[in-house]
Amino acid sequence: MHPQAIRFPLKILALALSLTATRALALDPGALPPVAANAMTRAMAQAASPEAIAEYRRRLKEYQEARAAFEQEAGAYWGQISEKRRGRNAKRRDHVQITLDDYVLTQPPVYTGPKRPINPEPQAPPEPGERKYVPVVTDLLKAAADGYQWMPQQPANDMDFKRAYARFAASAGLTREQAVRVYAFETGGNGTHASQSGFHGNRAISTAIGYNQLLTTNTVELLAEQGPELIKGLAQKALNLSGPARMAMEHKLAVLKKMVAEARAVPDEWSAHEKIGDTHQGWAMHAMVLDIDVGPMLQTHKLLTSVIFARMKGYNRPLTAAELEMMNLTGDGTGFDMVTMPLDMREQVPTSNFFQRSGYERNPVAIRHNTVAKLLAVTDSRMDSNSQQSGARELAAAF
């Protein structure tokens, strides 16, 4: 085709788009084809009138003032939450009884002001943020192979892992009800030893894996704090084996000892363990949750540490599964605060007392079920429902 014949249709198209965009100032962009809609949007942005800009600025100022007033109110509320928490901690240290006055009894303020207006002037697109990569099981396996020349021994089928978990959990002192109902809540009642939170395709939303959904940081922390016990248990298994099975177990034991030493080489703090958990070294350690010998011990200790914590604090009544889950989810200290609360107080104390502001605002369950009683009730309800799933029934049978 002749070059002029090419340029002529292009000029017509440009003119048509320009006319379409001009006419479309009074139209709905959604009613136009994509190309025309984009052209119309650009034309509208470029043609924003002084009146439209002035109106936007007026509404923006109104929004900013309303938002600032809300932030002041919310800041005071969450400051009071922190102050009350410090007071409760001090009372516990001094063995002083905690009362309703030690909690904030009002719900957090909710922003009800105007929404942020849309700027009619053209704006540069925001820089794309770098999304933190969440390792999946294949990454953990590769990290273990590369870093420790070792691969976890995974079960032929998940029932084998359930039996191993049930044996160790029962011998350690967890009840069938605690183990099964927490598993039902954490996995929906059908999770496997390798189920990962929010896994879809080759992506996941979290490093949480297994029956009790351990994060990389949980695994590093358990290796550091429970390492000697884990090593002792694995060494005992090795004594009962011979031949190639004994050699494989001894290699696994050597890897475990190295991981434990590395986990214990940093301060025993969540932040230090989290830092390792975000490295390939931490990914390799996390592969231990997949191993049929070490995985059940890690999964059990994740819950058992909460049971032991409660006993050390003088709480000798067996924890219900829902109470254990509160400690599992929020941390032992915070969960213990809820667990030891008298029943009549649970109806009155908002869940906000047990969260930082950022964590609370990202937790729709705690917001919707906004008292301790309601949160425990919905946890129990989900446990009831999910315990009827086939995976939960299999785990119950393994006990």
Side-chain angles (χ1 to χ4, degrees):
M1 185 180 291
H2 195 279
Q4 271 192 322
I6 296 173
R7 286 196 295 271
F8 184 66
L10 289 177
K11 288 179 181 177
I12 293 176
L13 176 60
L15 177 61
L17 288 176
S18 176
L19 291 172
T20 300
T22 302
R23 288 196 304 269
L25 288 173
L27 297 177
D28 176 9
L32 299 173
V35 173
N38 289 339
M40 188 203 83
T41 301
R42 289 195 298 272
M44 289 177 68
Q46 293 165 2
S49 67
E51 292 80 7
I53 294 172
E55 174 64 11
Y56 161 72
R57 290 175 179 169
R58 183 192 68 77
R59 292 174 59 197
L60 178 63
K61 184 173 183 292
E62 184 181 83
Y63 162 78
Q64 289 171 334
E65 289 174 349
R67 193 75 205 184
F70 167 75
E71 287 300 327
Q72 186 174 4
E73 181 186 7
Y77 177 89
W78 288 101
Q80 191 180 17
I81 288 285
S82 297
E83 184 181 344
K84 293 281 190 180
R85 184 182 297 119
R86 286 192 293 270
R88 293 195 303 275
N89 290 340
K91 277 193 167 186
R92 283 197 184 86
R93 284 194 299 269
D94 296 336
H95 305 287
V96 177
Q97 184 177 358
I98 292 172
T99 68
L100 274 176
D101 289 338
D102 296 308
Y103 297 93
V104 176
L105 300 181
T106 57
Q107 294 294 339
V110 177
Y111 179 72
T112 57
K115 294 181 179 179
R116 186 183 188 95
I118 297 173
N119 192 342
E121 298 177 285
Q123 301 292 305
E127 291 292 327
E130 185 177 348
R131 180 185 294 179
K132 179 181 175 181
Y133 181 72
V134 176
V136 297
V137 168
T138 52
D139 296 313
L140 308 184
L141 297 176
K142 185 176 187 305
D146 292 345
Y148 294 92
Q149 294 73 56
W150 169 81
M151 290 288 279
Q153 180 188 349
Q154 298 198 63
N157 58 73
D158 204 64
M159 193 64 210
D160 287 345
F161 201 96
K162 285 186 171 74
R163 292 189 186 99
Y165 174 58
R167 282 195 300 270
F168 188 80
S171 67
L174 289 182
T175 68
R176 178 173 67 174
E177 180 191 23
Q178 288 171 330
V180 172
R181 287 174 69 80
V182 170
Y183 162 88
F185 183 86
E186 290 281 353
T187 71
N190 271 323
T192 71
H193 76 287
S195 292
Q196 186 166 0
S197 177
F199 179 78
H200 181 71
N202 62 350
R203 289 180 177 272
I205 63 172
S206 164
T207 60
I209 290 177
Y211 296 165
N212 298 323
Q213 292 290 281
L214 272 68
L215 300 166
T216 52
T217 312
N218 292 133
T219 298
V220 175
E221 189 152 274
L222 287 167
L223 288 171
E225 296 177 354
Q226 307 297 325
E229 186 71 21
L230 300 175
I231 290 170
K232 181 180 177 182
L234 206 60
Q236 186 61 46
K237 284 191 174 186
L239 292 176
N240 299 322
L241 300 174
S242 60
R246 174 76 173 263
M247 292 178 62
M249 186 66 78
E250 287 180 343
H251 177 54
K252 186 188 302 186
L253 181 59
V255 171
L256 178 61
K257 287 179 178 178
K258 186 176 180 182
M259 288 182 175
V260 168
E262 291 169 352
R264 293 167 70 91
V266 301
D268 188 12
E269 299 169 355
W270 180 265
S271 59
H273 297 152
E274 186 176 36
K275 188 175 181 179
I276 296 178
D278 284 338
T279 67
H280 282 77
Q281 180 188 29
W283 297 3
M285 292 179 181
H286 200 37
M288 275 291 179
V289 302
L290 305 170
D291 185 80
I292 196 166
D293 294 308
V294 182
M297 292 192 283
L298 290 170
Q299 296 285 352
T300 295
H301 278 294
K302 177 64 168 65
L303 300 183
L304 194 62
T305 51
S306 297
V307 173
I308 294 171
F309 181 91
R311 287 177 187 162
M312 288 175 61
K313 293 290 185 178
Y315 192 79
N316 296 317
R317 180 178 65 78
L319 295 169
T320 69
E323 290 172 339
L324 183 55
E325 181 61 28
M326 288 302 102
M327 297 180 72
N328 188 35
L329 282 175
T330 64
D332 289 336
T334 300
F336 187 71
D337 196 352
M338 285 189 270
V339 166
T340 55
M341 186 180 295
L343 295 178
D344 60 329
M345 287 174 57
R346 293 181 181 185
E347 297 281 354
Q348 303 176 66
V349 176
T351 55
S352 54
N353 283 275
F354 310 97
F355 290 86
Q356 301 295 330
R357 179 182 177 181
S358 59
Y360 180 84
E361 291 177 346
R362 293 196 305 267
N363 193 323
V365 176
I367 293 172
R368 192 176 305 117
H369 307 279
N370 58 9
T371 67
V372 173
K374 289 178 182 177
L375 186 59
L376 285 168
V378 73
T379 302
D380 258 326
S381 176
R382 292 188 182 181
M383 287 178 170
D384 289 341
S385 175
N386 294 342
S387 291
Q388 303 308 310
Q389 300 294 326
S390 59
R393 293 200 302 271
E394 286 177 356
L395 182 57
F399 275 82

